[in-house]
Amino acid sequence: MNPLAIAGLAGLICGLGGGVYVTGAAMGERIAIMEASQAKAVAASAQIYHRRFVDEQVRGDALSNRLAHTESDLNLRTLEVTRAVSKVTTGRACLGDAAVRLLNRAPRDDPTVSETAGASVAESAAIATDTDVAGWIGNAQGQYETCRARLGALIDYEEGRPDDRTEQ
């Protein structure tokens, strides 16, 4: 091989090696600074999101406790209504056999017509008494209020959340 080519190749190799060394030394410091900055940002983000998580957990627990007390009160009220129904009704026929048949034998896929809450006092005559109807209404009101309380708690939870776009 030509001595001039060997010298040129040796110069190229030395130049590349020196360039890599100088670039590595200069860029290594910049890379270390960038990695330290990124680590600080990740740590700050972790603290922010941990605080948000704890805050959401505390808020969720408070709303859950409030909902549990509300549901307990509603269940107690529904039970009181159920017990009082027999005192304020007479057991007279209220719905005839056609209406009771429609309500009891409604197609299962028709959610608009549900079954009565309990067996009719006058089952053999296929009627619903005022006691039956009042009991069903009291139970339906209790279920409605429970559902309303649950939806209200969900709404309170969602409306109370911080907006991630504005909080920094």
Side-chain angles (χ1 to χ4, degrees), residues 70-146:
T70 300
E71 284 190 27
S72 178
D73 291 344
L74 289 170
N75 288 337
L76 183 61
R77 277 191 242 154
T78 301
L79 183 60
E80 290 170 354
V81 167
T82 301
R83 288 179 181 157
V85 161
S86 62
K87 296 176 185 174
V88 296
T89 56
T90 62
R92 290 183 315 204
C94 182
L95 297 176
D97 61 343
V100 171
R101 226 177 304 116
L102 172 67
L103 294 171
N104 285 337
R105 297 185 195 348
R108 292 286 181 231
D109 60 345
D110 184 358
T112 60
V113 182
S114 61
E115 290 189 29
T116 56
S120 171
V121 173
E123 183 96 8
S124 61
I127 62 166
T129 65
D130 61 345
T131 305
D132 295 332
V133 173
W136 182 86
I137 291 170
N139 188 39
Q141 286 174 335
Q143 290 176 353
Y144 172 81
E145 290 299 325
T146 298

Side-chain angles (χ1 to χ4, degrees), residues 59-60 62-68 70-71 74 143-161:
R59 201 169 59 77
L63 288 169
S64 292
N65 287 337
R66 189 176 80 194
L67 176 62
T70 300
E71 284 190 27
L74 289 170
Q143 290 176 353
Y144 172 81
E145 290 299 325
T146 298
C147 182
R148 190 170 70 83
R150 288 176 182 172
L151 287 174
L154 285 172
I155 290 168
D156 289 346
Y157 181 78
E158 286 300 317
E159 287 181 348
R161 296 184 84 172

